[in-house]
Amino acid sequence: MLNLRSGKATEEDYGKLRQEMAGLSGGDSPLPPGVQKLLTELSTTVGKDASPEDKDQRQVVEDFRDELQGLLNRLVPVLKPDEVALHKAWLELSAKSCELNKYELAMKVLQDAWHQAKAIEAEKREPAVVLHIDSPLRPVVDRALEEVGKVAAQLDELDADLAVQFALLASMTHKAMKAGEYGVALGLASQWFTSAEEAVAAQGRQRMVPLRQRIEDEVYIPNAELKKLEAPLASVPHSDKWFNESSVSKAEWDGVLQGVVQDGKTVQAAVTQARQACEQERLRWGQEKQGATVLLTRLKLVVSDAAGADEDKRFQSADASDIATQGLRKLGDGCTAWQTLAAEWERAAQASEAARDAFAQSEEDTKKKLLAVTREAPADRAPLDLLLAAGQQLAAGRDWVAAGAKLEECRRTADEKIKAQRDGVKLSVGTHCEAAYLEDLLDKLGAAEVKKLSTALGPKVLGEMSLQFKVGEMEQLQKEAGDGKGLKALLDDVAGGKAADLQSLRASFGSLAPLQAVAKDGFGGKTKTLGTLLKTGFAGDSGKLKTFLDGYPNPDPDLLKANNPAALKAQKDQENLKNLLNTGGLNDNPEAFAHLVNTGCAGDPAKLKDLHAKFSATTPPGLAGMKALLDTANLKTPPERLADILKTGCSSSAENLKELAIGFDGKMGQLKEATGQWGDGSGAAIKGLTDARHLNGDFQALQKNFTATLNQRYPGSGGKADREFMIRVAPEFTRAVLPDDINATLADKFELDPADAGSFKDSDWNHLLMHVCERHLPSSFAFEGAKAASTPINVHNSQFPVDWTPQRIATLMKEALKSANGKQTLLGLEDRARKAEEYAKHVEWAARTIAHDCWQARVDYRAWWNGGGRQRWIYDKKMEKGEVWNGPVPPDPGPAPPWPGQGFDNPGPEPAQPGAEPPNTPEPPWITPTFWYGDVEFQLGVDYRNGKRQIVQYFPVQSVGTPAITAFPRYDMEAMRDATIK
């Protein structure tokens, strides 16, 4: 310790001051701009006076002090009392140094203070309510330091040596306070005070009132005043018992207090232990400000009693430890206060425990009430949660009374909200439902759920439901249907809005759950389609509906997880049904679907499964084909039409309906036109046109042969009338198949000599004769039901008179061909026949060329593959994958020939060589010139078929003077034949 009464301070003293102050600082932290430079300059002038006119240095110091003060202001919430006092002393010392132009000393002090403040800032402490309960000597030391400051302020001048000594004493005093050695700190402060008085006296000033008396006059409060502070203690909130929760037990605490009375030597240890116990309690219950404040006040009063009872000499001794011991002996008089405090705290803890238990019960009751609010009035829950949170926050602060009141308010408000919600439901539904039933329903479901149910169904319908279902059943209905909306959908769409029908439906299915499930997974959520199926498809018979839906069972989720085949199939069936309804367009046409199930599939789920299998997404025409039948071909209007076509026209075969959709794919307008003409007879018309005597079961040919031919013969809007007429009469058209052996029965056969037939000598004369007789000879007429315009075609208006025979016609036709006109016409067709032959031969050559080229490509590729290509290909693939190849690198067999496709390993025998290419003649146009023989006009047509030139068309066109013949529209007959006969 420095002797303040000695002479000049040395450099060692400065170093010691720096060391002492550095021990209190937080290390090196960044200094404000410009300060480091100034410190470097001042380091060379320590102990030297600066010029009073050096305003620049003074301004820098003051700016630095302002920045330090700002930093400390920001740190106030996290600073400890010792740290606050130390920084306050440093700021005052720097200010005093500036007044005496000791800028270098001021800057060194501020630098250490800055480093410590930055270190505290770096710790990122959490702000806390600081209720520092220190040693009883703490307020005495604080007051002593304040008096020292006042004495030092009396000095007119403080030279550098004295300033250093004073700073060193200040540093050591604050360091002792920080370590909790308040006895040592009080001794140092007393020395500091004495030295300051001596310095004042040296300047001719009067000595001041002794330090002890100055403290005693201001701090001392008589013991009688303690009684006034006992009343607030009874209301101090506390969360648990002091002695049970504290690190110091009641017995240990009493022992400490007893030791204070019996042995003055243990006073310091006892006070330290008491302070530690108080500090631990503060950290545990930091919110108990009132109790801690009362305790601190009582500690100060005890200290004031101890401090005021001794002589001045106790504050003038150089032995700080002895002074502390003597000053603390008087604490024995304050033991009663400590014991009283402990007892009061014990009683307060007991009352607090009861209050805490009461709050816990209140909190539990409130949470139960809020669960009821969730059930009854969920929209009102949020503000009530805020009330509960507010009560819990108050409880965290141990304000049990206010917390309980907040929870009581929460429960009261909850009761009001529940009552308001239930009253609102009663007001809405009460006129349609018996009061007792409604009350039970509210108790069972809760007001919120009943309100949803009433909103979904409507109050009136809910009243009707109450007549059919018991309260318990209503709850079950909700669960089975999913919610009120689901129940509403089943009631309206499936049960027709009738509660009695819903009851019957539930009885048939045993529960609404399977119905709701199949509506969701099989019908795509379209309960309207399900209801239409019941009403239209099964005439309202819920038993039949159940039988049908049993074919689409709801798969068990557990079995699905286990990949059970039956469960997976059930899931796939429902998925296919949903796709048929949604993507296939039947959900948009529920009436059409109902008829399709009942009529088209005869109510058999297996037939419907076959249908949606044929129109699945993976096979043509797909679900788009079904939608096109409904929308583009308009088979949804009327809704029975598609079912009629499936049942009658397609013989209930899903395969036939699929073929029909494939045939009209992209041509659905033609099917729409045809069914528009046939109307309700569409199914019968399609059946007739596809029977064995017509299109022979080829449903695709209904477009390719029938509608395509008619659209070709009677195209566009100009041919619409004739086309529609032909469509209407086509189903009535039948043809009796005549054998080709008519010619064989004749004495004079229809057959030309090779000289007369020329290059057409290979014509099928038997077929040509039969062809003419079946259309133009009454005795051999093969067509019934056909019409030409409005005139039926039959034996009464055929081409030749009734008495004509096949022999007469054969003779007439042979003579006509042998006539000059016939030969000339046939000769004129030679060029057309030659071109047709050349065209056919070139087509044949091209086919042979392609076949031979394909064979050659397979042969070439096989040779490359077997000649090293396979091994090289395997090697290249391994290299691409980065795999290891064992063995030598296979030689490169050269580039691979073009890939010929599968089968290169077995190309088969070499096909015939195509030979030289014949002339590439375009296909010639079809020509059918006419010629006259007598009174009859004939028409000829030739072609190259089956490797031969043939006469392929030979018809009488008209006969002079025969009205029936001239009026007969032969072209209609040809169109009918081509359209309906395959």
Side-chain angles (χ1 to χ4, degrees):
M1 181 183 299
L2 287 178
N3 185 351
L4 300 184
R5 299 174 184 80
S6 64
K8 298 285 186 178
T10 65
E11 284 296 324
E12 182 180 356
D13 295 332
Y14 282 109
K16 190 171 184 179
L17 173 63
R18 293 281 295 156
Q19 183 179 1
E20 290 290 337
M21 300 185 78
L24 298 173
S25 68
D28 293 332
S29 300
L31 298 176
V35 174
Q36 187 61 51
K37 179 180 178 181
L38 179 61
L39 285 175
T40 302
E41 295 174 356
L42 292 176
S43 64
T44 59
T45 59
V46 174
K48 299 179 182 180
D49 294 345
S51 172
E53 290 77 18
D54 193 349
K55 296 181 181 180
D56 292 338
Q57 290 190 24
R58 182 183 185 91
Q59 184 62 45
V60 171
V61 173
E62 290 179 351
D63 290 344
F64 189 10
R65 186 166 62 250
D66 290 342
E67 289 203 41
L68 175 60
Q69 185 63 62
L71 176 60
L72 293 175
N73 289 342
R74 294 194 301 274
L75 295 175
V76 165
V78 299
L79 288 178
K80 299 176 181 178
D82 290 344
E83 294 167 341
V84 174
L86 179 59
H87 282 89
K88 181 179 178 182
W90 276 347
L91 288 171
E92 290 176 354
L93 178 59
S94 67
K96 187 65 177 177
S97 299
C98 281
E99 292 176 4
L100 300 177
N101 299 326
K102 306 297 183 180
Y103 302 122
E104 67 274 23
L105 178 62
M107 288 301 294
K108 291 180 182 298
V109 172
L110 291 176
Q111 180 184 13
D112 284 326
W114 177 268
H115 287 318
Q116 185 185 27
K118 294 298 287 185
I120 293 171
E121 183 182 42
E123 292 177 14
K124 297 182 179 179
R125 300 176 183 174
E126 291 292 332
V129 180
V130 179
L131 303 175
H132 206 74
I133 305 174
D134 285 312
S135 166
L137 282 180
R138 173 60 189 266
V140 179
V141 175
D142 289 342
R143 191 69 183 88
L145 292 177
E146 183 180 347
E147 290 301 319
V148 170
K150 291 180 180 179
V151 173
Q154 300 293 323
L155 296 174
D156 291 335
E157 182 179 0
L158 185 67
D159 60 27
D161 295 332
L162 191 59
V164 170
Q165 294 170 7
F166 267 62
L168 182 58
L169 273 175
S171 172
M172 295 173 66
T173 302
H174 287 295
K175 187 172 183 180
M177 291 175 67
K178 184 175 182 180
E181 299 294 339
Y182 292 101
V184 176
L186 185 59
L188 291 170
S190 180
Q191 277 195 341
W192 193 359
F193 182 82
T194 302
S195 298
E197 278 195 319
E198 290 177 353
V200 171
Q203 294 182 2
R205 306 275 182 112
Q206 182 180 358
R207 280 181 64 91
M208 305 184 70
V209 178
L211 177 62
R212 180 199 59 74
Q213 186 174 342
R214 293 162 79 79
I215 296 175
E216 178 184 356
D217 292 343
E218 297 184 21
V219 177
Y220 176 71
I221 300 177
N223 281 331
E225 296 297 319
L226 290 177
K227 297 296 182 180
K228 298 180 181 179
L229 298 174
E230 292 180 356
L233 249 153
S235 61
V236 173
H238 201 276
S239 62
D240 218 323
K241 295 182 179 180
W242 170 286
F243 300 108
N244 288 347
E245 295 295 328
S246 174
S247 60
V248 182
S249 69
K250 185 176 187 301
E252 291 172 334
W253 186 270
D254 290 341
V256 170
L257 296 176
Q258 194 67 24
V260 173
V261 178
Q262 294 177 357
D263 185 3
K265 293 182 180 179
T266 62
V267 170
Q268 184 62 44
V271 172
T272 300
Q273 192 170 1
R275 182 187 64 78
Q276 291 174 349
C278 292
E279 180 67 9
Q280 289 181 6
E281 181 63 16
R282 179 192 68 78
L283 293 174
R284 185 182 299 277
W285 312 113
Q287 299 297 323
E288 299 173 6
K289 296 182 181 180
Q290 184 177 0
T293 302
V294 172
L295 176 60
L296 181 59
T297 303
R298 291 195 173 191
L299 287 174
K300 288 183 178 180
L301 293 176
V302 173
V303 171
S304 68
D305 283 344
D310 295 308
E311 300 296 331
D312 290 347
K313 62 182 180 180
R314 294 184 181 176
F315 297 91
Q316 298 173 359
S317 171
D319 189 347
S321 176
D322 182 60
I323 291 176
T325 302
Q326 295 178 25
L328 288 172
R329 285 189 179 279
K330 191 61 176 175
L331 281 177
D333 296 337
C335 286
T336 303
W338 282 92
Q339 292 171 333
T340 301
L341 177 62
E344 291 295 334
W345 212 289
E346 174 74 14
R347 290 193 295 273
Q350 292 174 353
S352 175
E353 187 175 84
R356 183 195 62 183
D357 294 341
F359 174 81
Q361 183 60 48
S362 177
E363 185 180 30
E364 183 179 351
D365 294 342
T366 304
K367 289 179 178 179
K368 290 180 180 179
K369 183 65 68 176
L370 290 184
L371 289 177
V373 172
T374 301
R375 182 170 176 269
E376 302 281 353
D380 298 323
R381 172 71 188 260
L384 297 175
D385 284 336
L386 293 178
L387 286 174
L388 173 61
Q392 291 171 331
Q393 183 66 27
L394 290 170
R398 310 305 187 262
D399 193 348
W400 308 113
V401 176
K406 191 64 71 174
L407 295 193
E408 176 62 30
E409 179 186 357
C410 180
R411 292 194 298 275
R412 183 179 65 255
T413 306
D415 287 334
E416 293 172 356
K417 298 295 184 183
I418 292 173
K419 184 178 184 303
Q421 187 78 345
R422 291 172 74 100
D423 289 346
V425 173
K426 291 177 182 178
L427 183 63
S428 173
V429 184
T431 56
H432 304 284
C433 191
E434 291 184 2
Y437 184 94
L438 181 57
E439 194 68 36
D440 290 345
L441 191 63
L442 286 169
D443 293 339
K444 191 73 175 177
L445 301 181
E449 202 61 37
V450 176
K451 184 177 180 180
K452 286 182 183 178
L453 197 58
S454 175
T455 302
L457 300 177
K460 183 178 180 181
V461 175
L462 181 57
E464 294 173 357
M465 295 279 286
S466 70
L467 300 177
Q468 295 292 331
F469 299 96
K470 297 178 181 179
V471 171
E473 290 180 314
M474 289 294 291
E475 181 182 23
Q476 190 61 29
L477 282 176
Q478 285 260 82
K479 294 178 181 178
E480 293 172 3
D483 54 20
K485 291 182 179 179
L487 183 59
K488 171 70 171 175
L490 290 177
L491 176 65
D492 288 350
D493 296 340
V494 184
K498 298 178 181 179
D501 289 350
L502 185 67
Q503 178 74 289
S504 175
L505 195 65
R506 186 169 182 256
S508 296
F509 282 84
S511 167
L512 295 181
L515 200 60
Q516 179 68 12
V518 76
K520 174 186 175 184
D521 297 328
F523 285 73
K526 301 291 186 178
T527 49
K528 185 176 181 181
T529 304
L530 185 61
T532 305
L533 178 60
L534 171 62
K535 179 181 178 182
T536 303
F538 298 114
D541 190 332
S542 56
K544 290 183 178 179
L545 177 64
K546 181 180 184 303
T547 301
F548 174 78
L549 291 181
D550 284 344
Y552 290 91
N554 297 304
D556 187 294
D558 294 332
L559 294 179
L560 285 176
K561 291 179 182 178
N563 292 324
N564 178 271
L568 292 174
K569 183 179 183 305
Q571 184 185 49
K572 186 63 177 177
D573 286 342
Q574 288 197 357
E575 181 182 346
N576 288 341
L577 176 60
K578 180 171 66 176
N579 290 338
L580 181 69
L581 291 168
N582 282 344
T583 311
L586 286 167
N587 255 338
D588 297 327
N589 303 279
E591 290 281 343
F593 175 69
H595 288 290
L596 192 65
V597 171
N598 184 44
T599 304
C601 299
D604 186 353
K607 291 185 177 181
L608 183 62
K609 290 178 185 178
D610 185 37
L611 181 66
H612 55 59
K614 293 296 188 296
F615 284 86
S616 69
T618 57
T619 57
L623 295 166
M626 176 59 72
K627 188 168 180 62
L629 288 174
L630 291 165
D631 296 340
T632 312
N634 198 36
L635 300 188
K636 62 186 178 183
T637 307
E640 299 87 356
R641 181 149 298 166
L642 180 61
D644 174 56
I645 290 176
L646 173 60
K647 179 183 178 181
T648 306
C650 299
S651 302
S652 298
S653 169
E655 178 67 24
N656 289 344
L657 185 63
K658 182 190 83 169
E659 290 297 311
L660 181 71
I662 292 175
F664 282 96
D665 187 23
K667 304 289 184 180
M668 287 293 175
Q670 294 180 8
L671 181 58
K672 179 180 180 181
E673 182 179 57
T675 56
Q677 295 302 312
W678 296 327
D680 294 340
S682 295
I686 292 175
K687 182 176 179 60
L689 289 173
T690 55
D691 66 11
R693 300 181 64 188
H694 292 89
L695 299 178
N696 197 26
D698 188 346
F699 285 82
Q700 291 191 31
L702 195 62
Q703 189 280 324
K704 297 175 181 177
N705 281 56
F706 180 64
T707 59
T709 299
L710 296 182
N711 274 272
Q712 181 184 11
R713 298 288 179 87
Y714 308 102
S717 57
K720 182 178 180 181
D722 290 335
R723 186 172 66 246
E724 289 178 345
F725 168 78
M726 295 290 283
I727 290 173
R728 284 196 303 272
V729 302
E732 303 174 14
F733 176 77
T734 57
R735 175 192 180 195
V737 180
L738 299 180
D740 286 349
D741 60 357
I742 294 177
N743 204 22
T745 64
L746 301 181
D748 184 11
K749 296 181 178 61
F750 171 56
E751 184 175 2
L752 267 67
D753 294 333
D756 295 325
S759 63
F760 302 104
K761 58 185 177 58
D762 294 325
S763 298
D764 190 346
W765 308 110
N766 294 338
H767 185 73
L768 282 175
L769 178 62
M770 182 276 295
H771 222 37
V772 172
C773 289
E774 73 172 355
R775 286 166 173 75
H776 305 285
L777 189 64
S779 61
S780 303
F781 192 75
F783 298 90
E784 295 292 341
K787 296 181 180 180
S790 59
T791 305
I793 301 173
N794 53 44
V795 296
H796 302 295
N797 62 5
S798 57
Q799 182 82 30
F800 299 108
V802 177
D803 58 347
W804 278 42
T805 63
Q807 180 63 73
R808 185 171 180 177
I809 292 177
T811 301
L812 176 64
M813 290 175 62
K814 184 163 60 171
E815 292 176 351
L817 280 174
K818 293 169 65 176
S819 69
N821 287 342
K823 288 182 178 182
Q824 184 66 31
T825 302
L826 201 59
L827 183 62
L829 289 173
E830 281 288 345
D831 185 61
R832 200 275 172 197
R834 178 185 58 78
K835 291 180 179 178
E837 181 179 5
E838 291 177 353
Y839 169 75
K841 287 182 177 180
H842 191 274
V843 170
E844 182 182 359
W845 173 86
R848 289 199 305 269
T849 300
I850 292 173
H852 193 275
D853 289 348
C854 290
W855 174 84
Q856 188 64 51
R858 290 195 295 271
V859 170
D860 293 344
Y861 196 86
R862 183 180 63 173
W864 176 85
W865 182 257
N866 295 334
R870 176 179 181 276
Q871 197 72 0
R872 183 71 184 194
W873 181 84
I874 295 174
Y875 169 78
D876 291 342
K877 290 297 180 183
K878 282 185 173 291
M879 294 300 100
E880 289 176 7
K881 296 178 180 178
E883 298 177 359
V884 177
W885 176 266
N886 297 320
V889 177
D892 188 354
W899 169 247
Q902 297 296 332
F904 71 88
D905 53 337
N906 184 22
E910 180 180 5
Q913 291 285 347
E917 180 180 3
N920 187 7
T921 304
E923 183 179 11
W926 179 251
I927 303 174
T928 57
T930 63
F931 69 94
W932 284 89
Y933 177 70
D935 294 336
V936 180
E937 183 182 23
F938 289 91
Q939 184 180 61
L940 276 177
V942 298
D943 204 355
Y944 182 80
R945 296 182 183 179
N946 302 320
K948 301 174 182 179
R949 294 185 185 181
Q950 298 185 36
I951 300 173
V952 297
Q953 182 169 314
Y954 186 20
F955 289 122
V957 180
Q958 60 180 319
S959 178
V960 175
T962 308
I965 294 177
T966 57
F968 178 71
R970 184 200 58 77
Y971 197 65
D972 287 354
M973 176 62 73
E974 292 298 311
M976 188 67 72
R977 178 186 65 80
D978 293 343
T980 61
I981 306 301
K982 184 179 179 183

